[in-house]
Amino acid sequence: QKEVEQNSGPLSVPEGAIASLNCTYSDRVSQSFFWYRQYSGKSPELIMSIYSNGDKEDGRFTAQLNKASQYVSLLIRDSQPSDSATYLCAVNWGSGAGSYQLTFGKGTKLSVIP
Amino acid sequence: EAGVAQSPRYKIIEKRQSVAFWCNPISGHATLYWYQQILGQGPKLLIQFQNNGVVDDSQLPKDRFSAERLKGVDSTLKIQPAKLEDSAVYLCASSLNRGGGETQYFGPGTRLLVL
């Protein structure tokens, strides 16, 4: 059973602070990792993808991957109230016959307090 | 570039009735996915198509759910008969191909309430 675990939160941070979101996964052969943001009542939208160990930065967002520890995180610098949403961690692994299945965690709800 | 389109956006039915959802993926995207998202949970993959063939339907409750993608473009997902626990948002997504690093783009979803 492939599992993706996230702390459901809510995680509250003051405006301007760094928000740190964490995710662990159960399968060592996973190759690609994604962070999606989902506003209430909306569909998920991709904000970051990461495929190799280390850090990947995109604007205020940094994704960190440690395959040995089966851990992926998302840092949001200078958090804004508009960042308040649920953040979904997703892991892609092979499900056989050349296909890949994206498995999502339950999401962490982030609230940025003005 | 137009995104993934879904209809209807909302549907309310009574248990044991049937319902169908429609999805039109991003133009040129070969792979199409249907997900079920129950309130407070992450999306769960129901079925994955590559062109008009099924790649993975291991989590589709086949006694009541069916899906097709006849011409490799649009897709429909049907539930018959519906149960109370089918109340969820049904999300359609598409990607250019089915590789492990492919980005999936989601449609707005269909909110289903079964009474």
Side-chain angles (χ1 to χ4, degrees):
Chain A
Q1 182 83 12
K2 306 289 195 287
E3 293 185 347
V4 178
E5 300 287 342
Q6 294 182 256
N7 187 325
S8 61
L11 173 67
S12 294
V13 300
E15 183 175 354
I18 295 175
S20 177
L21 305 163
N22 305 314
C23 172
T24 59
Y25 58 95
S26 63
D27 194 301
R28 288 187 175 275
V29 301
S30 302
Q31 294 298 316
S32 49
F33 308 85
F34 304 85
W35 283 99
Y36 282 82
R37 177 176 61 200
Q38 188 171 30
Y39 292 113
S40 181
K42 302 295 185 183
S43 59
E45 59 176 325
L46 181 72
I47 52 174
M48 289 286 285
S49 59
I50 186 166
Y51 309 110
S52 55
N53 281 328
D55 296 359
K56 179 182 178 182
E57 187 174 317
D58 183 0
R60 296 186 297 112
F61 299 94
T62 300
Q64 299 174 319
L65 175 62
N66 183 327
K67 289 188 177 182
S69 301
Q70 295 173 232
Y71 175 88
V72 58
S73 66
L74 180 70
L75 300 177
I76 307 175
R77 291 183 299 280
D78 188 24
S79 296
Q80 301 297 309
S82 58
D83 294 326
S84 297
T86 295
Y87 289 80
L88 298 164
C89 173
V91 179
N92 216 344
W93 39 51
S95 58
S99 68
Y100 291 83
Q101 184 179 108
L102 194 63
T103 299
F104 285 84
K106 293 183 178 181
T108 298
K109 186 172 183 178
L110 172 67
S111 292
V112 181
I113 313 301
Chain B
E1 181 183 77
V4 177
Q6 291 187 248
S7 67
R9 295 294 308 277
Y10 305 91
K11 192 73 177 179
I12 301 174
I13 61 173
E14 295 187 350
K15 60 183 179 183
R16 291 188 290 274
Q17 286 187 324
S18 63
V19 65
F21 312 128
W22 174 83
C23 173
N24 181 248
I26 293 173
S27 178
H29 279 197
T31 310
L32 184 147
Y33 314 80
W34 283 102
Y35 288 88
Q36 179 192 59
Q37 187 174 24
I38 293 172
L39 188 65
Q41 305 283 322
K44 183 184 85 171
L45 179 68
L46 293 176
I47 189 167
Q48 177 182 349
F49 292 95
Q50 177 73 8
N51 296 310
N52 61 346
V54 175
V55 175
D56 187 345
D57 63 356
S58 57
Q59 299 190 92
L60 186 73
K62 298 180 185 65
D63 58 334
R64 298 184 301 107
F65 286 65
S66 64
E68 60 184 10
R69 193 184 184 200
L70 290 176
K71 296 183 179 179
V73 181
D74 294 6
S75 177
T76 56
L77 176 70
K78 297 179 182 178
I79 307 175
Q80 182 178 12
K83 292 185 175 182
L84 297 177
E85 59 261 36
D86 298 332
S87 295
V89 177
Y90 290 85
L91 295 163
C92 180
S94 70
S95 64
L96 194 58
N97 289 299
R98 64 177 183 178
E102 290 288 334
T103 297
Q104 295 185 23
Y105 298 89
F106 285 83
T110 296
R111 292 181 177 274
L112 174 66
L113 179 60
V114 182
L115 302 176

